[in-house]
């Protein structure tokens, strides 16, 4: 996927006469990606658990509208409005997760209904009008940048942590007598990652630095990735998605695990709604349309299996970068909107086809 991403960038760089890889456009690309990336982090675990959530675009719109209306129209402090949005996201996750896990209603039906319910609720909350967001720290969350000096420090720190992780994984493989990854290959991977990260940072530093929404997305990615790979709960999610019956027989509470996954998805949808509203500076009844498509496509492109049990959060972030590169590049190249929908739909279908073909070859 890294090579596919570089190929996409090369095509759009040529089609836009060098404008695509300009520092300002890449900064905007990352800011746009922050919402899709945050949602993809939650969607990975939903799909890994062999479920689906079609409501997240409408939930993003609804909770962003709730936060904005509470802050702008009712005078709530930005912090309280923000917390209310997160609580609302958790509540939506509890309701949908309860219906799926305890009432055995298919997730497709529950979340399809939720997609319509919350879209209609967004129209009701906003009175079908655009509601501006007040100038406060929430607005800054979507528009501010981290200074260049701090950005370079964070960049070097991230590379150091990546190197430590690579070394620890290699030692762990050796300690458990597993098939060892070639040290030369590990070195090439680490050098490649370092070149990409440092190159990206140098481009961003030439503009205004790292956008704050990107840091929020990265923080969410790291926290959820650690929870998914380093905790008992994370192993339970993968076990349930791989074989729910076997997981139940081994003592895992399948229903509680599924409920927790939908709660996490609801909270991340609320955070995505906050980021989107802060970035555009207002809440509108049509915000977040088709975000569920982008999130699902990002996960599948990043290697998540729709059969459940297989998927990674870094892969979903890479998939989100691919999807947003397509969105940004096609818009910058003035490609007709109908072609943009066609291309994104074909990318999703091809990604699912590749996933199914891979599963068949393995079996």
């Amino acid at each position: 996927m890294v090579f596919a991403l570089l190929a996409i960038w090369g095509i759009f760089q040529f089609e836009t006469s060098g404008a695509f890889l300009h520092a300002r456009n890449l900064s905007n690309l990352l800011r746009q990606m922050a919402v899709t990336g945050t949602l993809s982090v939650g969607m990975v675990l939903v799909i890994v658990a062999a479920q689906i959530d079609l409501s997240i675009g409408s939930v993003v719109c609804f909770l962003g509208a709730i936060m904005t209306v509470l802050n702008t129209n009712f005078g709530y402090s930005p912090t309280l409005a923000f917390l209310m949005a997160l609580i609302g996201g958790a509540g939506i996750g509890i309701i949908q997760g309860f219906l799926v896990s305890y009432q055995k209603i298919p997730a497709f039906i529950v979340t399809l209904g939720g997609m319509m319910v919350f879209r209609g609720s967004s129209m009701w909350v906003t009175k079908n009008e655009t509601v501006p967001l007040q100038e406060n720290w929430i607005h800054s969350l979507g528009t501010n940048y981290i200074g260049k000096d701090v950005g370079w420090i964070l960049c070097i720190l991230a590379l150091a942590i990546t190197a430590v992780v690579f070394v620890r994984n290699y030692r762990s493989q050796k300690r458990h007598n597993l098939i060892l990854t070639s040290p030369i290959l590990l070195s090439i991977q680490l050098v490649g990652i370092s070149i990409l990260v440092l190159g990206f940072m140098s481009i961003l530093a030439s503009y205004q630095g790292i956008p704050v929404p990107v840091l929020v997305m990265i923080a969410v990615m790291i926290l959820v990735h650690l929870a998914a790979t380093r905790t008992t709960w994370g192993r339970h999610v993968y076990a349930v998605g791989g074989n729910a019956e076997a997981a139940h027989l081994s003592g895992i509470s399948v229903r509680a695990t599924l409920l927790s996954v939908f709660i996490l998805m609801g909270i991340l949808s609320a955070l995505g709604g906050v980021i989107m509203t802060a970035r555009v500076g207002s809440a509108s009844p049509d915000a977040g349309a088709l975000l569920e498509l982008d999130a699902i496509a990002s996960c599948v492109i990043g290697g998540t299996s729709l059969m459940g049990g297989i998927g990674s959060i870094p892969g979903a972030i890479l998939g989100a970068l691919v999807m947003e590169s397509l969105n940004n590049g096609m818009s910058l190249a003035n490609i007709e909107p109908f072609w943009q929908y066609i291309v994104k739909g074909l990318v999703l279908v091809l990604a699912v086809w590749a996933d199914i073909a891979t599963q068949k070859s393995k079996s």
Side-chain angles (χ1 to χ4, degrees):
M1 286 312 303
V2 172
F3 290 113
L5 178 64
L6 294 176
I8 291 171
W9 286 359
I11 292 171
F12 284 130
Q13 178 73 353
F14 174 77
E15 291 293 331
T16 59
S17 302
F20 182 79
L21 292 180
H22 190 272
R24 181 175 181 177
N25 186 63
L26 285 181
S27 180
N28 290 333
L29 169 62
L30 290 178
R31 288 178 59 205
Q32 294 166 4
M33 173 195 164
V35 177
T36 306
T38 301
L39 297 176
S40 300
V41 168
M43 186 62 77
V44 165
L45 297 183
V46 172
I47 298 177
V48 163
Q51 306 298 322
I52 199 70
D53 192 343
L54 301 177
S55 67
I56 59 174
S58 298
V59 173
V60 164
C61 177
F62 175 63
L63 295 176
I66 288 288
M67 180 197 67
T68 305
V69 169
L70 288 177
N71 178 231
T72 302
N73 295 352
F74 291 92
Y76 281 52
S77 69
T79 302
L80 183 57
F82 172 76
L83 293 176
M84 292 295 289
L86 293 184
I87 294 172
I92 290 172
I94 290 173
I95 294 171
Q96 296 194 141
F98 174 79
L99 293 175
V100 171
S101 58
Y102 287 87
Q103 300 302 310
K104 304 300 181 182
I105 304 175
F108 180 88
I109 299 300
V110 171
T111 58
L112 180 62
M115 179 177 67
M116 293 183 282
V117 168
F118 297 119
R119 181 63 63 180
S121 300
S122 302
M123 296 177 181
W124 170 64
V125 168
T126 61
K127 298 180 181 179
N128 229 10
E129 298 176 350
T130 299
V131 182
L133 181 66
Q134 291 185 352
E135 294 284 344
N136 48 49
W137 69 264
I138 294 179
H139 190 275
S140 301
L141 183 68
T143 57
N144 281 10
Y145 294 80
I146 295 296
K148 301 174 185 178
D149 294 338
V150 177
W152 277 113
I153 293 173
L154 293 176
C155 179
I156 294 173
L157 180 62
L159 290 177
I161 293 174
T162 302
V164 171
V165 170
F166 270 56
V167 172
R168 288 189 60 183
N169 287 341
Y170 179 80
R171 290 179 176 175
S172 178
Q173 290 177 345
K174 189 174 182 179
R175 186 169 60 253
H176 293 91
N177 295 321
L178 299 175
I179 299 175
L180 294 177
T181 305
S182 169
I184 297 177
L185 179 59
L186 286 176
S187 301
I188 293 174
Q189 291 176 343
L190 187 57
V191 170
I193 292 173
S194 301
I195 292 174
L196 286 175
V197 172
L198 292 174
F200 225 69
M201 184 60 216
S202 63
I203 293 175
L204 294 177
S206 67
Y207 184 53
Q208 297 186 40
I210 303 177
V212 172
V214 176
L215 290 181
V216 174
M217 178 194 68
I218 293 174
V220 169
M221 178 193 73
I222 293 173
L223 290 175
V224 179
H225 175 67
L226 291 176
T229 58
R230 305 293 182 181
T231 67
T232 302
W233 171 80
R235 293 184 177 91
H236 286 180
V237 173
Y238 280 86
V240 168
N243 191 321
E245 183 178 354
H248 173 70
L249 293 175
S250 66
I252 296 174
S253 177
V254 175
R255 294 187 296 184
T257 301
L258 292 179
L259 178 62
S260 66
V261 168
F262 277 96
I263 292 174
L264 176 63
M265 186 72 257
I267 294 173
L268 292 182
S269 296
L271 185 59
V274 171
I275 295 174
M276 172 175 281
T277 305
R279 183 169 64 84
V280 301
S282 62
S284 61
D286 59 348
L290 297 181
L291 268 179
E292 57 277 351
L293 168 65
D294 287 348
I296 294 171
S298 298
C299 295
V300 176
I301 290 171
T304 303
S305 173
L306 291 174
M307 306 298 178
I310 300 173
S312 72
I313 290 167
I317 293 296
L318 178 60
L321 184 56
V322 170
M323 288 300 295
E324 285 305 321
S325 295
L326 289 173
N327 288 333
N328 180 278
M330 288 189 292
S331 298
L332 201 63
N334 293 321
I335 296 176
E336 293 289 344
F338 69 88
W339 277 115
Q340 297 185 30
Y341 284 109
I342 291 173
V343 170
K344 290 166 62 177
L346 289 175
V347 167
L348 177 58
V349 172
L350 289 173
V352 175
W353 172 77
D355 171 54
I356 293 175
T358 302
Q359 296 300 320
K360 286 182 179 179
S361 65
K362 288 181 179 180
S363 62

